[in-house]
Amino acid sequence: MTAPARPFEHDGIAFGCDYNPEQWTTDVWDEDIRLMGEAGVDLVAVNIFGWSHIEPREGEYDFRALDDIIGRLHAAGIRVNLGTGTASPPAWLARRHPEILPMAEDGTRRFPGGRQAWCPSSPVFRAAALRLVEAVAGRYGDHPAVALWHVSNELGCHNALCHCDESAAAFRRWLEARYVTLDALNAAWGTAFWSQTYGEWDEILPPRATISTRNPGQMLDFHRFSSDELLAYYRAEADAIRPLSTVPITTNFMVTAHIENLDYWSWAGDMDIVANDHYLDHRLADPNAELAFAADLSRGLGGGAPWILMEHSTGAVNWQPLNKPKTPGEIIRNSLTHVARGADGVCFFQWRASVQGSEKFHSAMLPHAGTDSAVWREVVELGGIIGRIGELAGSRVEAQVALVFSWESWWATQTESRPSQSLGYLDQVHAAYGALHALGLTVDVVAPGADLSVYSLVVVPGLHLIRQSEATVLTDWIAAGGSAVVTFYSGIVDQDDRVWTGGYTGPLRDALGVRVEEFAPVAAGETLRLSDGATSTLWSERSHVTTAVAEASFVDGPSAGSPAITRNAWGRGTAWYVATLLEADALRALLGRVAAEAGVRPPAAVRGGDGALEIVRRRGADASYLFVVNHGDAAAVAEASGFELITGMPVAGDVDVPGGAVRIIREEAAA
Ligand code: GAL
């Protein structure tokens, strides 16, 4: 960590939004601030895309409008989450310095006219951006309205991987620092293959488009470099702010379905508070489970500390193939699910729906239809709820289960040449998490090698890349009495993408008691039958048990006769291995069985609800809070006693949770 942690302090749960007043005239600002008051908004992000407004020409600053809006927000008692303004460079910078523009892997530049068109390694861009940050931090660093610094915006959303010459030089510097000698680099990348050996550092390029598949070790390191490069950029902005302001500093992460380029495990320690942006992804089978996963991962990044949901939507986004509005009550359910999973702030993109620009069809708190709309009414209702639950800020989520998640495994899994192009890392993570979610179990998402001592069950989906040290943490924890479930394609390569030989799952093999000899993926649409009656898809493997017991074997397909689900006694613990993608019901049943044997239970007993409930407990110094979110139509009853914060009613024994509703119970001390 380069930064001393500065706590983000707020009265209760923050409720807010991105606000882009540049798009509106000042009479609209007056209405906005009045309506923000009506909705209970108390944290507003401004100046995120402000650069061309506050520095219209190089070195000429004009802060009049920003002074005005910050002053108005302050007068209304609204705190400011102040953007450094650097997210998107102004036209004059790209015109004067076209070398800042990012380069795609095919060597073509990307033009200005969108956003985030800058190369993370460009010294020219960085110098210009840091001059702006110093000007902004110098002006507003001790402004009483400023509660949080919002560095840039979603760093790496579009520009994470730049292949220009400047990036190539920076990549080489990064590689020299990592490997010191070319011999070490050649060994790590396996360049003996295809005559790729490097004799000079200057021969090394970013993995630009080639005529065949590229070196996977080089691609893995380019991912690591690119993540580190943007983190270095974040640090440079934070370092510029720090001497000029004591306010906490963060940036908004993108812990969502499809953003894979930044290894946030290495970033999180630099944030004074973790902040995440999350949008429901309707391309997925279970968007609510993915929301819960993203929230649990956001919490995990901060080691369990409260975090801020910096953006989500009140309705449709504008960037999926089909952009769906939310169903009635879904804004509240989504928001409170994030809070249940540790968020101490709920913010939206954006306050007022734009009428121009690429995002004019993106939902907002104040929609095009105005205040006479279901969205606005629900926003106001949510603001009221957020106001009533402030006492739970600072409390922490309780979990007995850990799921191991790794960006490095994501990168290494999705290399160009793999056993099946249908094999996706996140699909496996979602399958495992989705089963735990359906069982109502609360999950902490942890990094490979993290301390597991507080957990009763650890689930390891497809952890393709594993270091010996990370494997040892897991196998020692099992030996000490833990229960782990590992799924296929785990333990295949080391940190250099070098295969662990002697039978897959490499350093997990002995603990799992299985030796895998060959992968045998199956075509999309092909279903495999298992001896316990379950079915599976995607994957099988030819293997045999060494010390494990086969709980189910493949009945048909290319691995007929090989074990599909195994259980091994390892020390005082139990190691399960699943060699295929089980159908959802079977995976849920298996994880349910293992969880029950390990003594893992949902946070409260429930009846009804048709499997559409989320139940999570946050525990504070003086009380605990049980969240029950009912995503379905069927009524449910949760067993809890105390005081229900949304309805403001005492509850004893049974709490009714109607279809679509959320209940938050401050529990009596015995809970
Ligand atoms: C985020 C971004 C916002 C807005 C939003 C739309 O990626 O930070 O500026 O574009 O998505 O969903």
Side-chain angles (χ1 to χ4, degrees):
M1 262 184 71
T2 59
R6 301 168 171 200
F8 172 69
E9 277 155 6
H10 197 81
D11 186 13
I13 304 285
F15 186 50
C17 50
D18 278 21
Y19 181 38
N20 296 298
E22 305 87 9
Q23 299 175 14
W24 307 98
T25 52
T26 49
D27 54 318
V28 178
W29 297 1
D30 289 335
E31 188 190 29
D32 285 334
I33 290 175
R34 180 176 61 75
L35 291 173
M36 285 175 186
E38 196 174 314
V41 163
D42 62 9
L43 182 69
V44 167
V46 293
N47 196 42
I48 292 178
F49 295 100
W51 197 337
S52 68
H53 298 271
I54 58 178
E55 191 181 3
R57 281 162 297 279
E58 186 163 11
E60 267 182 45
Y61 297 105
D62 180 353
F63 288 113
R64 284 171 300 178
L66 192 54
D67 287 351
D68 188 359
I69 196 72
I70 291 176
R72 289 175 195 230
L73 290 164
H74 184 50
I78 296 171
R79 308 180 83 201
V80 171
N81 173 17
L82 188 56
T84 54
T86 55
S88 214
W92 55 256
L93 182 59
R95 177 156 181 252
R96 193 160 302 171
H97 294 288
E99 71 274 21
I100 70 163
L101 295 170
M103 184 178 277
E105 60 178 27
D106 66 357
T108 56
R109 293 270 183 193
R110 289 297 172 261
F111 290 100
R115 68 173 176 185
Q116 212 175 55
W118 51 274
C119 159
S121 301
S122 165
V124 172
F125 175 80
R126 187 176 294 196
L130 294 183
R131 278 195 298 275
L132 184 77
V133 175
E134 276 170 18
V136 173
R139 191 168 188 92
Y140 303 108
D142 54 10
H143 193 295
V146 179
L148 188 60
W149 285 100
H150 184 299
V151 167
S152 192
N153 187 60
E154 290 191 343
L155 286 162
C157 178
H158 311 284
N159 66 346
L161 306 179
C162 177
H163 295 73
C164 75
D165 288 342
E166 205 74 72
S167 299
F171 185 37
R172 288 191 283 268
R173 287 193 293 276
W174 183 92
L175 291 167
E176 275 204 68
R178 182 177 175 88
Y179 293 109
V180 183
T181 68
L182 272 176
D183 285 349
L185 176 137
N186 280 314
W189 287 7
T191 55
F193 179 79
W194 280 357
S195 185
Q196 291 173 346
T197 307
Y198 294 103
E200 303 275 349
W201 289 100
D202 284 348
E203 293 164 1
I204 302 171
L205 294 171
R208 292 180 180 152
T210 52
I211 202 158
S212 68
T213 49
R214 290 168 278 191
N215 181 308
Q218 178 190 12
M219 295 188 76
L220 179 61
D221 270 345
F222 190 62
H223 271 294
R224 291 180 174 129
F225 154 77
S226 299
S227 176
D228 284 358
E229 198 70 348
L230 277 166
L231 175 57
Y233 176 81
Y234 172 85
R235 287 177 174 161
E237 282 211 20
D239 286 347
I241 295 169
R242 226 170 269 122
L244 299 167
S245 175
T246 57
V247 168
I249 307 169
T250 193
T251 190
N252 43 346
F253 289 175
M254 299 163 286
V255 176
T256 67
H258 298 289
I259 304 284
E260 67 180 85
N261 288 322
L262 305 178
D263 182 350
Y264 288 127
W265 291 126
S266 64
W267 282 58
D270 277 74
M271 305 298 126
D272 287 327
I273 184 165
V274 168
N276 191 46
D277 295 350
H278 183 270
Y279 293 93
L280 280 183
D281 190 337
H282 291 108
R283 292 164 288 196
L284 298 173
D286 188 351
N288 283 327
E290 192 278 331
L291 182 157
F293 169 71
D296 288 347
L297 177 50
S298 301
R299 182 180 74 253
L301 289 168
W307 53 282
I308 296 180
L309 176 65
M310 196 65 98
E311 294 180 20
H312 73 152
S313 74
T314 61
V317 297
N318 63 326
W319 43 263
Q320 291 176 22
L322 177 70
N323 297 297
K324 294 189 182 178
K326 294 201 174 176
T327 55
E330 199 174 4
I331 299 173
I332 291 174
R333 287 192 297 279
N334 288 170
S335 300
L336 296 182
T337 302
H338 286 290
V339 175
R341 295 177 185 280
D344 270 5
V346 172
C347 304
F348 290 90
F349 176 86
Q350 62 176 328
W351 165 252
R352 180 184 280 270
S354 300
V355 290
Q356 291 179 293
S358 298
E359 294 184 328
K360 64 180 181 295
F361 295 126
H362 193 291
S363 58
M365 295 173 89
L366 184 56
H368 292 150
T371 54
D372 186 8
S373 61
V375 165
W376 174 254
R377 283 186 282 276
E378 194 168 322
V379 163
V380 172
E381 187 184 344
L382 173 63
I385 294 171
I386 297 281
R388 294 201 290 287
I389 64 173
E391 64 177 74
L392 61 81
S395 58
R396 292 196 171 214
V397 173
E398 287 183 341
Q400 293 177 279
V401 183
L403 182 145
V404 179
F405 180 81
S406 156
W407 274 275
E408 287 187 318
S409 271
W410 191 348
W411 300 333
T413 298
Q414 313 225 155
T415 189
E416 286 170 330
S417 301
R418 55 185 186 269
S420 164
Q421 289 298 321
S422 303
L423 183 65
Y425 175 65
L426 218 46
D427 298 339
Q428 283 211 67
V429 170
H430 287 158
Y433 183 90
L436 295 165
H437 183 254
L439 290 163
L441 304 177
T442 311
V443 178
D444 278 350
V445 183
V446 303
D451 176 21
L452 301 172
S453 52
V454 300
Y455 301 108
S456 304
L457 169 63
V458 173
V459 178
V460 185
L463 192 67
H464 182 66
L465 182 155
I466 193 164
R467 293 169 177 78
Q468 179 63 58
S469 57
E470 295 161 351
T472 302
V473 169
L474 179 66
T475 54
D476 284 357
W477 173 82
I478 299 169
S483 290
V485 179
V486 176
T487 74
F488 65 93
Y489 215 47
S490 291
I492 309 300
V493 299
D494 69 7
Q495 66 273 13
D496 295 332
D497 201 43
R498 183 187 291 110
V499 171
W500 290 106
T501 54
Y504 313 120
T505 55
L508 302 176
R509 186 176 57 230
D510 291 345
L512 295 175
V514 186
R515 195 161 169 272
V516 182
E517 293 181 24
E518 266 184 288
F519 305 137
V522 297
E526 194 172 329
T527 300
L528 299 167
R529 286 185 301 128
L530 307 189
S531 57
D532 64 356
T535 60
S536 70
T537 54
L538 187 74
W539 193 263
S540 73
E541 43 197 34
R542 294 174 177 167
S543 63
H544 58 267
V545 294
T546 49
T547 55
V549 173
E551 296 270 335
S553 306
F554 294 102
V555 170
D556 54 14
S559 306
S562 280
I565 303 173
T566 56
R567 169 198 184 116
N568 192 42
W570 183 250
R572 288 189 282 124
T574 310
W576 291 79
Y577 181 60
V578 184
T580 186
L581 182 61
L582 289 176
E583 49 160 327
D585 287 351
L587 184 56
R588 193 172 59 236
L590 176 68
L591 291 179
R593 174 180 163 196
V594 180
E597 285 175 11
V600 176
R601 288 199 170 64
V606 289
R607 304 190 297 278
D610 236 0
L613 301 179
E614 300 206 28
I615 318 150
V616 183
R617 178 174 288 114
R618 284 181 69 158
R619 192 174 289 278
D622 305 318
S624 62
Y625 300 91
L626 184 75
F627 284 70
V628 186
V629 181
N630 189 346
H631 293 288
D633 296 328
V637 176
E639 286 178 24
S641 295
F643 186 81
E644 204 290 309
L645 298 177
I646 294 183
T647 54
M649 302 286 286
V651 286
D654 281 348
V655 185
D656 288 325
V657 190
V662 182
R663 295 291 177 255
I664 306 172
I665 301 109
R666 183 206 302 131
E667 296 172 304
E668 285 162 359

